[in-house]
Amino acid sequence: MKNIFVFSLSAMALISMTVNAQEKKYPEQEKMTAGMSEYWTPQPRVVTPGDIKTNTAPSDAIVLFDGKDLSKWQNSDGKAAGWDVHDGVVTVNKKNGDIRTKENFGSFQLHLEWSAPKGIEGTSQSRGNSGVYLQGMYEIQVLDNYQNETYVDGMVGSIYKQTPPLVNVMRKPGEWNVYDIIYTAPVFKEDGSYLYRPRVTLIQNGVVLQNNTEILGTTEYIGFPRVVKHGDGPILLQAHGDPSIPISYRNIWIRKL
Ligand code: MG
């Protein structure tokens, strides 16, 4: 009996030694250093910022209107842009219709300034109505909502008939409003539906009105947004037929993203 017990212990010791002999040795984890999570290339391009005082654009922007001419624009029918350039600004000419950029864009950062003239009259949608169409499809409303209420999904800074702005940050007629628009173009599936909807961030006078808001589809005056497959498109400025004195734009530039 004693012999069997001793033999068993010896066998177990032998097995244990064999298993230990088979354990692999791996290199130890390398010690983390700060430099391991830092990379230096590629360096972002150097861009010289615009000068707010002189209304100049950043160095890599495409200047769409610098106060002198509308050579980057045309009417919707392809004829020369028929709005009125004077005193460094361009004033909407309602009878000549919308104007659009000759160039088409995908995702972008767009800067423009606009002003409803002093003494403008009218109520609701009939006071300084214009608009910025992104890729020619989706309207960001431009309207003089200074002490002038209208339906909220059609007020200044709305995605027209879709999403109201977060706040109303209008300056008085005669003063200049600044729009900075960051737009992400949609991606479509083959069947024409959205894989990724278009998105927009809108800042007016330094205040966020749309925060990466999803755009639901085309801008429709009557009815609901439609999903229409499209590629790059123009920036289109609206000549709305409201009877008020027309508004003006200035200092328009765009950066492709
Ligand atoms: Mg409009």
Side-chain angles (χ1 to χ4, degrees), residues 50-56:
D51 183 345
I52 298 168
K53 286 184 210 132
T54 54
N55 292 332
T56 50

Side-chain angles (χ1 to χ4, degrees), residues 53-64:
K53 286 184 210 132
T54 54
N55 292 332
T56 50
S59 58
D60 66 344
I62 298 168
V63 176
L64 296 175

Side-chain angles (χ1 to χ4, degrees), residues 98 121 139 224:
D98 304 335
E121 291 181 345
E139 183 185 7
F224 296 100

Side-chain angles (χ1 to χ4, degrees), residues 54 61 126 134 138 170 183 208 224 254:
T54 54
S126 295
L134 315 173
Y138 315 112
M170 278 298 301
Y183 173 75
V208 174
F224 296 100
I254 193 166

Side-chain angles (χ1 to χ4, degrees), residues 125 129-131 139-142 160 238 240:
Q125 294 284 305
N129 197 332
S130 182
E139 183 185 7
I140 297 291
Q141 178 67 301
V142 169
Y160 186 71
Q238 184 187 42
H240 191 278

Side-chain angles (χ1 to χ4, degrees), residues 173-224:
E175 297 181 7
W176 286 89
N177 291 277
V178 180
Y179 264 9
D180 286 292
I181 298 171
I182 298 118
Y183 173 75
T184 305
V187 177
F188 290 91
K189 297 179 193 166
E190 278 202 4
D191 67 5
S193 60
Y194 288 128
L195 178 61
Y196 303 114
R197 293 178 190 277
R199 289 179 165 272
V200 68
T201 293
L202 168 64
I203 299 168
Q204 181 182 1
N205 302 331
V207 177
V208 174
L209 302 192
Q210 301 287 348
N211 181 10
N212 198 27
T213 308
E214 271 193 351
I215 297 174
L216 305 175
T218 57
T219 298
E220 305 292 333
Y221 178 51
I222 298 171
F224 296 100

